[in-house]
Each structure stands twice: as C-alpha cells, then as structure tokens.
C-alpha cells in the first residue's frame, strides 16, 4: 500500500487524494517529530510562567480574558473538544473526514502548533487503522476554521463519541481504538485548540473537487464534440489559429480536445447542405470558450489550494523565535472564494451542455433528426423527459452557484464577527460536481443516440470508441421507448468514473 510521509513543509494534492480516497498509510517524518518536540518545549516553558498566554493558559474566543490555573488546563482542553463537537445533520462522507484529519495532521506536523509528537502519532494511527470519526453536515462557519467538524475528529482521539470502523459499522470510538491498540490521548495545554483551528475540511473538499472537475471538463469536451457531430456542425471554429488570437489557455485546451475527438468524422461540415447555416448556435460554437473559462478558473483555484496545502493554519501559532502569537490565518476566505467561483463555472458548463441536448431533441433545430430522438414519434416520447431531468439539474446548479462566501453571520458574542462560510461553499460544490456528472451523462446519452441515427455518415474514430464503450457499459442506443432511468444511471457511472474520457483517449491519446 502507498505510504504518505508528512513533513514540516506541507503536503500535495496527490497526498490528500491518496489518503482520503485510496486509504494510503501515513507516517511522520523524523524532521516532523523533531519540529513537534521543539515547538512543544516552547509551549511547556510558557505554560510554566505566571503571565497568561492565549490558547496556553487562557480561555478561548470571547472567553479569552480568563486566566486558567494549571490544575484546570487539562480539563479546559477536554472541554473545548467536547463543547465544540456540536455538529448536526447527516453524516459527512468518509473521504471528506479522512481528508479533514490528514490535513489537520499536516498543520500539526509543521512545528507551529505546539502539539506533542505522541498526539500527532495517534492521529496517524487512527487514519491507518481505518477509523473514521462521525462528522455532521452542519456546524462550521469556516472561521475559526472548521471547528465543529474538527472537534468531532479530536473527540475520537480522546476515545469519545462515535466513529466508523474499517468494516463500515459505527461504534463507540473508545471500543474501536482499543481493538486497534491505540491509547486515547490525554490533551495538555494548547492541544485541544490546535486540533480544531483550521480550514482543513473546506480545503480537502476543494482538492477532491478539483480532481473530479479535471476529469469532468475533459468529459464535457468529448460530449460537446459528439453533439457537434450529431448536429452536423462545423469543426472549423476549433482551428488552433482562431484560439491563438484570444490566448486563454483553457479555451485553447478545450478546442484542441474537441478537434482531436472529431478527427476523421464524416458528420462535420454539413452545415451548408440541405438547410444551409452561416454558423452554428452558440452552445455548439462557443463550447471551448465556456469550458475554457471554467478550466482557467480551476487553474486559479488550484493555485490557492497549493498555497493552503503548504500553510500552517492555527491560532495561536508557535514561531521559531519562541513567541506564541495570535493571528487570523484560520479565516477561510481564500478557500471559500474559489469554492464559490468553481460552483459558478460548473453551473455554466452544465447550462451550455443542456442547451446542446435540447437542440438535439428539437426537430426544428436538429437538422433532420427525429423529434426527441424517438423511434416512432408520437407513439414514443424518446428522450423528452431525460431533458427535463437535465434541465432540473441545471436549475439546481444555478441555485448552488449563489456564493456562500458573500454571506457572514456573527458568532461567539461578536468576537468572531465576520466568518467565511467556506465549509458551506465546499458542501454545495460537492453537490454541484455530482450534478454536473449527471448533466453530462444526459448529453452523452442524447448525442450518442443522435450520432447513430445519422445513417450513412461515419462518426470520428474517437466518437465511435466512446459510443462502443458506452454501449458495452449498459448505455443503450436507439430504439423504442423503454424504462429510461437505468440507462441514464449507467451513463452517469460511465461519465463519473472516467470511462468516457478513457474511451476517447484510446484514439486521441491523452486529452488536455
């Protein structure tokens, strides 16, 4: 099994994906253990002094003015975890919780938190044992970080609350720790606070969304190319020299992908036949511009994610010169903004895909295709309601594109009077990504059927490879009406698992 070694300088997106999705093991580097011990020594020195130090010998948030005596400090750390583990609602997905725990471990290992090496090792042990704390949908305002979700994870380290074992069964966390020989941690000064104060949940979801969208944007280029073929459109608009004079990188990449898929097609270029067209509709002609803008949005979001993956997000932080200083680095605004930005791009990509699907089904605009791609229109309804489903998904995506980060709600007796809502932005982006895959699945279903209905014209080899792979995967072709939901479900799996892109790449080579 792949092992990810956590050092002091952060982690990569591929590290997050390996741990969150693939169950990779986690190890602490010798450098990290040394840095943990050095920072802890600073905290122990400050804890022994009579002067109050925030997070070490004081309360938290609006209660930070109270100095806590040494005999109450262990109780203080336990209490902050217990009281902050106040989430409600459905359980959060296992991969999100594993990303959450791993990214908190990343910051702990930076040597800026003052957490003891044994606490960090316990975090790694819990991940490696496949124990997943029960974390709930609601509870984070994205400032100070993802407090409630991280608190539920810290509660598991203490042997309290509920967690899911590697067998998928939820049980008391103490029982699971005991079964795997993991001793619950006894938190000391600053450690409870250090386990809660980060952007780890929203960052983990951003990293996973970017990985999913990288594949879905390639999928969108393929389905757009199939639709262009089915509509007998022209591929001249994809010429590299046209995109070079408006040099947005994403636009050029999308156009190149579409051109690669369409190479060798006998369906393109018929726009001057029986019903001449000067140019194709925007949803066909401008596909690279819209998908390309989304790709460039992803590039910006990836830059933000990379910076955050290299960050140590905590409050207060331990500095190399021995100071422990309060700061505002836990604020989720940088991550929240790009999460919302991506949701806007996703909604627009889905919207243009739905417009192409609608065009394929409308006999007045499909250039010779049967109404709704039906076998016997009137007796058969064809894909009429598949487009309804797609339209409903697009409408939902437009609602999900409303930015969470534009909102703020004061908390903690007005001490935390401006919050990022980054967790909420991340949660709605996950839903948006799922819905985008469904929208593209419907376009694939319609476009592949339409291409096959163009009798006497041979599609591009890449298109044929996609259609053949889809049919082999249970995505059925033209014919009389049948129970449609299973077909659409098969198309959804075909898209979201990357089989669509893989099929095209058997002919085109790697798409951009």
């Amino acid at each position: 099994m792949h092992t990810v070694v956590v050092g002091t300088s952060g982690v990569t997106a591929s590290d997050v994906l390996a741990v969150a999705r693939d169950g990779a093991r986690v190890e602490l580097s010798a450098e990290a253990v040394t840095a943990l011990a050095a920072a802890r020594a600073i905290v122990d020195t400050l804890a022994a002094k009579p002067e109050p130090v925030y997070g070490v010998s004081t309360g938290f948030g609006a209660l930070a003015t109270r100095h806590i005596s040494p005999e109450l400090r262990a109780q203080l750390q336990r209490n902050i975890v217990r009281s902050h583990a106040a989430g409600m609602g459905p359980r959060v997905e296992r991969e999100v919780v594993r990303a959450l725990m791993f990214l908190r471990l990343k910051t702990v290992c930076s040597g800026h938190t003052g957490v003891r090496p044994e606490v960090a090792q316990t975090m790694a042990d819990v991940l490696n044992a496949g124990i997943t704390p029960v974390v709930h949908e609601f509870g984070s305002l994205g400032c100070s970080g993802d407090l409630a979700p991280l608190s539920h994870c810290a509660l598991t380290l203490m042997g309290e609350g509920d967690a899911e074992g590697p067998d998928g069964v939820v049980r008391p966390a103490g029982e699971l720790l005991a079964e795997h020989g993991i001793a619950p941690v006894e938190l000391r000064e600053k450690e409870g606070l250090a386990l809660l104060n980060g952007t780890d949940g929203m960052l983990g979801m951003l990293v996973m969304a970017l990985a999913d969208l990288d594949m879905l944007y390639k999928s969108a280029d393929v389905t757009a190319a199939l639709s262009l073929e089915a509509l007998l459109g022209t591929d001249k608009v994809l010429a590299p020299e046209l995109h070079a004079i408006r040099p947005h990188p994403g636009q050029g990449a999308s156009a190149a992908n579409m051109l690669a898929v369409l190479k060798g097609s006998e369906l393109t270029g018929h726009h001057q036949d029986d019903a001449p067209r000067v140019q194709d509709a925007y949803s066909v002609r401008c596909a690279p511009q819209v998908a390309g803008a989304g790709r460039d949005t992803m590039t910006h979001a990836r830059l933000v994610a990379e910076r955050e993956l290299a960050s140590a997000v905590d409050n207060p932080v331990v500095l190399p010169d021995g100071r422990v200083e309060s700061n505002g680095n836990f604020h989720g605004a940088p991550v929240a903004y790009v999460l919302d930005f991506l949701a806007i791009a996703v909604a627009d990509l889905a919207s243009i895909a739905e417009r192409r699907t609608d065009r394929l089904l409308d006999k007045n605009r499909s250039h010779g295709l049967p109404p709704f791609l039906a076998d016997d229109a009137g007796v058969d309804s064809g894909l009429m309601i598949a487009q309804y489903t797609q339209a409903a998904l697009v409408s939902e995506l437009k609602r999900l594109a409303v930015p969470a980060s534009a909102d703020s709600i004061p908390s903690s007796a007005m001490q935390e009077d401006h919050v990022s809502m980054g967790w909420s932005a991340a949660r709605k982006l996950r839903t948006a990504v799922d819905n985008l895959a469904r929208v593209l699945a419907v376009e694939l279903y319609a476009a592949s059927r339409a291409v096959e209905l163009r009798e006497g014209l041979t599609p591009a080899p890449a298109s044929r490879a996609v259609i053949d792979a889809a049919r082999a995967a249970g995505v059925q072709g033209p014919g009389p009406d049948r129970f449609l939901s299973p077909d659409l479900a098969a198309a959804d799996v075909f898209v979201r698992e990357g089989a669509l892109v893989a099929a095209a790449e058997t002919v085109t080579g790697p798409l951009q």
Side-chain angles (χ1 to χ4, degrees):
M1 181 182 291
H2 179 58
T3 297
V4 173
V5 178
V6 185
T8 60
S9 57
V11 297
T12 65
S14 60
D15 291 335
V16 177
L17 295 170
V19 173
R21 291 183 162 171
D22 300 331
R25 290 186 58 80
V26 178
E27 291 182 4
L28 311 185
S29 71
E31 173 195 34
V33 173
T34 299
L36 283 159
R40 184 65 209 181
I42 293 171
V43 170
D44 286 341
T45 298
L46 291 173
K49 293 183 176 182
E51 298 85 8
V53 177
Y54 175 69
V56 176
S57 53
T58 70
F60 310 114
L63 304 177
T65 55
R66 178 178 173 182
H67 181 256
I68 308 299
S69 58
E71 66 273 10
L72 293 176
R73 290 176 189 169
Q75 181 181 340
L76 169 68
Q77 300 302 318
R78 287 194 302 271
N79 285 351
I80 189 175
V81 172
R82 290 168 176 164
S83 65
H84 285 46
M88 295 181 72
R91 283 180 57 195
V92 171
E93 304 84 359
R94 182 176 186 269
E95 66 177 14
V96 173
V97 180
R98 285 185 62 83
L100 180 71
M101 291 192 292
F102 175 66
L103 288 169
R104 183 75 322 223
L105 177 61
K106 173 267 298 183
T107 281
V108 165
C109 287
S110 69
H112 291 293
T113 67
V115 168
R116 290 168 294 152
E118 50 264 44
V119 175
Q121 185 59 55
T122 301
M123 296 171 75
D125 291 343
V126 168
L127 282 165
N128 292 339
I131 297 171
T132 307
V134 170
V135 174
H136 298 280
E137 179 84 15
F138 302 106
S140 174
L141 299 178
C143 191
S144 303
D146 295 318
L147 286 173
L150 283 164
S151 297
H152 283 275
C153 295
L155 200 65
T156 293
L157 299 179
M158 293 165 49
E160 300 181 17
D162 292 326
E164 180 185 294
D167 59 359
V169 177
V170 174
R171 295 166 53 195
E175 290 181 12
L176 288 167
L177 294 185
E179 283 185 7
H180 289 85
I182 302 172
V185 297
E186 293 285 344
L187 298 176
R188 289 169 48 179
E189 289 94 344
K190 195 183 179 302
E191 289 179 335
L193 186 61
L195 294 176
L196 315 185
N197 233 326
T199 57
D200 309 293
M202 63 183 91
L203 175 58
M205 286 185 274
L206 172 60
V207 169
M208 289 185 283
L210 285 169
D212 294 337
L213 289 173
D214 182 66
M215 182 271 295
L216 289 175
Y217 268 80
K218 293 176 187 176
S219 301
D221 293 337
V222 177
T223 59
L226 283 169
S227 291
L228 185 151
E229 270 192 299
L231 291 166
L232 305 178
T234 178
D235 59 358
K236 290 184 177 181
V237 296
L238 304 173
E241 56 270 26
L242 292 175
H243 297 278
I245 61 176
R246 195 193 190 195
H248 293 287
Q251 176 181 324
S254 286
N257 284 347
M258 290 182 65
L259 203 57
V261 172
L262 292 169
K263 185 177 181 180
S265 174
E266 293 182 2
L267 281 81
T268 58
H270 291 275
H271 59 294
Q272 294 298 324
D273 290 352
D274 296 337
R277 284 167 276 161
V278 174
Q279 52 194 5
D280 291 317
Y282 283 10
S283 60
V284 178
R285 187 174 12 133
C286 302
Q289 284 77 9
V290 172
R295 285 169 170 269
D296 292 341
T297 300
M298 288 170 60
T299 298
H300 171 59
R302 196 170 287 114
L303 174 62
V304 172
E306 288 169 356
R307 289 170 176 165
E308 198 76 356
L309 288 167
S311 300
V313 179
D314 192 19
N315 180 48
V317 292
V318 180
L319 298 174
D321 61 8
R323 288 179 295 149
V324 175
E325 296 285 1
S326 293
N327 66 90
N329 285 343
F330 50 74
H331 199 287
V335 182
Y337 291 170
V338 294
L339 289 162
D340 280 332
F341 198 177
L342 287 172
I344 293 169
V346 164
D348 201 36
L349 184 65
S351 180
I352 197 171
E354 183 275 331
R355 288 293 80 205
R356 290 191 294 263
T357 303
D358 182 67
R359 184 165 289 270
L360 289 166
L361 305 190
D362 183 355
K363 69 180 182 66
N364 297 310
R365 295 180 292 143
S366 66
H367 311 291
L369 290 169
F372 303 104
L373 306 181
D375 187 63
D376 183 3
V379 174
D380 294 313
S381 294
L383 306 190
M384 180 190 297
I385 307 305
Q387 185 268 331
Y388 280 34
T389 299
Q390 192 187 40
L393 287 163
V394 170
S395 185
E396 174 67 10
L397 281 164
K398 291 174 183 177
R399 290 188 288 272
L400 291 167
V402 176
S405 58
D407 189 21
S408 177
I409 189 164
S411 58
S412 192
M414 293 299 287
Q415 177 71 6
E416 298 171 9
D417 59 350
H418 184 274
V419 297
S420 77
M421 302 307 297
W423 173 272
S424 299
R427 295 306 295 167
K428 70 184 182 66
L429 178 60
R430 279 181 71 84
T431 302
V433 170
D434 282 345
N435 285 348
L436 173 61
R438 296 182 179 107
V439 168
L440 295 178
V442 176
E443 183 180 20
L444 165 69
Y445 194 77
S448 62
R449 177 182 285 207
V451 166
E452 291 190 313
L453 289 172
R454 295 291 189 187
E455 296 179 359
L457 295 173
T458 303
S463 301
R464 185 73 261 171
V466 167
I467 294 170
D468 289 345
R471 301 294 175 255
V475 182
Q476 298 188 47
D481 280 358
R482 56 182 169 265
F483 181 23
L484 207 53
S485 186
D487 278 15
L488 297 178
D492 181 26
V493 171
F494 187 71
V495 170
R496 77 174 60 245
E497 293 188 352
L500 167 63
V501 173
E505 288 182 336
T506 61
V507 176
T508 64
L511 294 173
Q512 298 182 45

